[in-house]
Amino acid sequence: MWKYSTTMAWALLLLLCPARLHAQDTDTWAALDAWVGKIKREMGDRSGIAIAVVKDGRIVHQAYLGYADISQGKQVDADTRFYIASATKPFTALMTLIRAERGEWRDDMSMAGMFPDLNFNGFDASTVTMRDLLTHTSGLENTPLVWALAYSGIHDAASRYQLVQMTQPLPDQERTGFRYGNVGYNLVSVWMEQRFQSTWQRQLEQLVLRPVGLRHTTARVSDARRGRHLVANPYSVLSELTVQPLYLEKSDATMHAAGGLMSTAPDLARFLIVQLEDGRIDGQQLVPAGVIRKSHVPVAKTDGKPYQQFDRQGYAWGWYTGDYKGQQMLHHFGGFAGFHAHLSFMPDAGIGLVVLSNEEYMSPKLTGLVADYVYGALLGEDEVGARMDLGGEQLMAEMRALAPKIAARRQAMSERAWQLSLPLQTYMGRYTHPLLGEMNVQKDDDSRPLITWGALKSVATAYERPDSVRVEFVPNSGNVVEFDVQGSDVVALRFEGMVFTKH
C-alpha cells in the first residue's frame, strides 16, 4: 500500500516549482494537512485540531481536522470554540496595559496600594508591584485562590477578595526570580474588579475583544455554547475510553483571568495580526501601537529552560520571548485537561501560528512538529518535510509504547494497600472551609470513596501515607487528600495545604 510521505510531497513540489516556495503555495499547506491527518489516524486519535497561519498581515492557511464531538460525529470547523487555558494571559496583560496607557494605574503600583485594607503575613506588600504579578516575579503563592477560580468554581466577589489575604511568600529558595503560575493574574483580576466595579470578563470584552473584532472569543462558557456553533469537548489519549469526553469541563465559574477564554483559530489569528502590525488591522488602528510594542518587551528573565524546542529566555507582558530558527519569537501556550493551545509569532518575519487541540497529552508534541514545518517552510528552510516525517515516526513510536505504560501504572495503583486506620465509613461526611465551600466524602454505587468539591469529583484510591488517599480531581493528574484522625474520629481533611473541617 502506498504510504504518504511529506518528504515525497516536498520533492514533487521542488520538481514542479524549483524557486523558493512562497506562503501562498497551496501545495505547501496540502502537504501539512495530509500529514497531520495521517498521523492522527495512525495514532487512533479522533480529537480535533485547528490550524491558522499568518503571514504579512493576513491569514494564508487554515486547516480543520478531527472532531469537536466524537460521539456525535461533529467535525471541527472555523467556528469551533476551543478552551485556550493559559494562552489567555496575553489578553489579560494587554487589557491592563491599555488601562495603564489611559492613566488608570501604574505598573509600579504595589500590592499594598492595590489592597490597602488587607494585612498580609510573611512579606512586605509594598515591595510587590503589579508588574511583578503580571510577569511572574512576585515570589508569592495563593493555592486557595488558584483552586477556587480554576477548578472548584466555588467563589463570589466577597470570597475572592477575602482569599487574596491568604497570599503567602514562596519558600526562600523559590522566592527570587521568575516562577510561572496563575496567582499573579488572579490577584490582578480581583483588584481590577474592585477598582473598576466590573467583572474582569466584562472589562476584557470592552477593552480588547470588541475593539480588536474578536467576535467568536468569549470569557464565558455560557456565551460560547449559545447558538449553533460547536464547543470542542475535552479528550485524552491517556483515558481508558479515548472517545469519551473527560468529566472536567469548564464553566463560567471556572473561567479566570489567567486561563479563561474560549476562541476560534481565525479569531486568534486576527489577534496575532494585531500583534504583528503594531495594533493595526484592515487599515485601522485598533490598539495603540505603543501599548503593543510595550507588551512585547521582556520584563523578566526566565531560567532559560526551553519548552520542547521553544526557547524561553524572557517573559514580557503575557508573552514568552526567545530565539526560534534564528528569529525572535514571542509565544504563549495553554494546557488543561483535554486541551492544548499554541499562539506564536515572529515580529521581524511577519509570521504567526495558531494551533488548537481538544486533546492534552499527544497534542503538544504534534503541535511542535506543525510549528517546525510552518515556520521552516515560510523561512525557506530545507528538509522541513523530512524532519516532519521523522518526527512523526518518533511520535508514533511513543504512542505505541504508551498503552503498556498506562496499563502498568493503573495496575500498580490498584495494588496499593489502603493505609486508613479507621473503618471506611468513619471518613464519610461533609467537610467545610469558610471561604472554599465544602468537600463531601461518600460511597459511590460500588462502595468506593467518592470525593466531590464544587465542579470537582474523584473516586479515591489507596495512597502510601497513613490516613491518606489519592484523587484525580484533574483527569490524569493526581493529588493527595490527608485525613486528620484524632482517636476514633476523623475531624478534618487537608488538600494542598487547605484544611476542611468535618461536620
Side-chain angles (χ1 to χ4, degrees):
M1 179 178 178
W2 182 70
K3 184 178 180 181
Y4 187 89
S5 163
T6 314
T7 307
M8 294 168 61
W10 269 81
L12 177 60
L13 286 171
L14 291 172
L15 287 172
L16 295 175
C17 181
R20 187 177 298 276
L21 294 170
H22 299 289
Q24 63 265 33
D25 289 335
T26 56
D27 288 340
T28 303
W29 308 124
L32 170 67
D33 299 349
W35 181 87
V36 172
K38 175 180 74 75
I39 287 294
K40 288 182 72 68
R41 286 192 302 273
E42 291 184 359
M43 288 195 301
D45 176 16
R46 300 177 66 192
S47 67
I49 185 170
I51 302 170
V53 181
V54 167
K55 180 73 169 73
D56 297 332
R58 64 188 183 93
I59 299 175
V60 297
H61 179 64
Q62 298 179 64
Y64 303 97
L65 301 150
Y67 293 90
D69 186 327
I70 295 174
S71 65
Q72 297 296 317
K74 295 181 178 178
Q75 295 182 320
V76 167
D77 61 25
D79 291 323
T80 301
R81 275 74 165 166
F82 289 80
Y83 175 57
I84 68 168
S86 286
T88 300
K89 289 183 175 73
F91 292 83
T92 301
L94 182 60
M95 170 176 64
T96 64
L97 289 179
I98 290 171
R99 285 211 178 277
E101 195 265 346
R102 294 178 178 182
E104 295 171 345
W105 70 277
R106 292 171 41 151
D107 61 15
D108 61 355
M109 176 185 288
S110 71
M111 276 190 68
M114 294 165 64
F115 305 105
D117 55 336
L118 297 182
N119 295 314
F120 296 98
N121 295 318
F123 70 99
D124 183 353
S126 67
T127 65
V128 179
T129 67
M130 185 93 79
R131 179 176 57 249
D132 297 331
L133 295 173
L134 292 171
T135 58
H136 310 292
T137 55
S138 68
L140 302 175
E141 62 181 351
N142 190 324
T143 302
L145 180 65
V146 170
W147 273 89
L149 296 187
Y151 298 103
S152 78
I154 300 176
H155 57 86
D156 57 23
S159 68
R160 290 193 294 271
Y161 197 80
Q162 289 178 277
L163 284 169
V164 169
Q165 196 158 349
M166 299 181 74
T167 304
Q168 297 288 330
L170 289 164
D172 288 342
Q173 66 271 24
E174 302 176 33
R175 196 174 301 174
T176 59
F178 178 88
R179 183 182 175 184
Y180 179 81
N182 288 342
V183 64
Y185 282 70
N186 291 156
L187 291 169
V188 168
S189 72
V190 174
W191 171 78
M192 291 188 73
E193 292 185 338
Q194 183 83 358
R195 167 66 177 81
F196 299 105
Q197 292 298 294
S198 176
T199 66
W200 73 268
Q201 293 96 327
R202 181 68 174 160
Q203 293 180 60
L204 190 63
E205 290 168 5
Q206 293 175 333
L207 294 170
V208 178
L209 303 185
R210 288 181 184 175
V212 176
L214 305 182
R215 297 183 297 113
H216 304 294
T217 302
T218 179
R220 296 182 179 87
V221 177
S222 57
D223 287 346
R225 294 192 181 280
R226 288 195 183 104
R228 302 172 61 184
H229 301 306
L230 281 176
V231 172
N233 286 335
Y235 299 98
S236 176
V237 299
L238 299 177
S239 298
E240 290 187 75
L241 296 174
T242 59
V243 298
Q244 180 175 310
L246 301 178
Y247 95 87
L248 185 58
E249 295 190 71
K250 280 291 176 176
S251 68
D252 288 354
T254 57
M255 298 286 269
H256 56 105
L261 283 179
M262 286 195 163
S263 190
T264 64
D267 259 21
L268 295 173
R270 184 178 177 88
F271 185 66
L272 292 187
I273 292 171
V274 168
Q275 304 298 318
L276 290 163
E277 300 295 318
D278 279 345
R280 295 184 307 275
I281 195 169
D282 300 330
Q284 296 182 317
Q285 191 74 45
L286 304 181
V287 180
V291 171
I292 292 293
R293 294 189 192 114
K294 179 174 181 177
S295 72
H296 298 172
V297 177
V299 177
K301 184 178 180 180
T302 70
D303 59 11
K305 295 179 181 177
Y307 173 80
Q308 295 182 348
Q309 72 267 41
F310 301 101
D311 182 38
R312 291 179 167 177
Q313 294 297 322
Y315 196 87
W317 296 86
W319 297 107
Y320 280 101
T321 62
D323 179 88
Y324 186 67
K325 296 183 179 294
Q327 297 275 339
Q328 182 199 28
M329 173 187 274
L330 286 86
H331 69 270
H332 213 298
F333 308 149
F336 190 76
F339 291 102
H340 182 262
H342 172 117
L343 276 67
S344 64
F345 62 99
M346 293 177 172
D348 294 337
I351 304 170
L353 174 65
V354 175
V355 185
L356 305 176
S357 304
N358 57 334
E359 194 283 325
E360 96 279 24
Y361 183 77
M362 296 304 288
S363 291
K365 307 170 195 294
L366 178 60
T367 297
L369 296 174
V370 171
D372 179 68
Y373 181 93
V374 168
Y375 283 107
L378 292 178
L379 292 172
E381 289 183 348
D382 296 327
E383 305 298 330
V384 292
R387 287 203 307 271
M388 178 170 268
D389 283 335
L390 177 60
E393 292 172 4
Q394 294 170 340
L395 195 61
M396 286 303 305
E398 182 177 348
M399 188 68 183
R400 285 190 292 269
L402 187 61
K405 290 180 180 178
I406 294 173
R409 177 172 168 269
R410 288 178 181 148
Q411 181 66 26
M413 285 194 296
S414 70
E415 293 174 352
R416 283 179 180 165
W418 289 92
Q419 302 295 325
L420 302 180
S421 62
L422 299 174
L424 181 59
Q425 185 61 40
T426 314
Y427 299 84
M428 304 297 108
R430 185 169 65 96
Y431 299 76
T432 66
H433 185 286
L435 296 178
L436 300 170
E438 67 179 49
M439 282 198 195
N440 286 285
V441 184
Q442 57 194 342
K443 293 180 181 178
D444 70 359
D445 293 340
D446 296 318
S447 294
R448 301 173 300 178
L450 174 68
I451 303 180
T452 59
W453 177 28
L456 304 171
K457 64 180 180 181
S458 176
V459 171
T461 56
Y463 194 64
E464 58 197 19
R465 293 204 296 261
D467 288 310
S468 299
V469 296
R470 181 184 185 274
V471 292
E472 282 195 14
F473 284 147
V474 180
N476 305 309
S477 178
N479 295 95
V480 177
V481 172
E482 301 175 277
F483 293 96
D484 185 352
V485 174
Q486 295 184 11
S488 59
D489 295 321
V490 179
V491 299
L493 68 76
R494 290 180 174 82
F495 176 75
E496 296 296 311
M498 297 169 275
V499 179
F500 293 72
T501 304
K502 190 178 182 187
H503 292 274

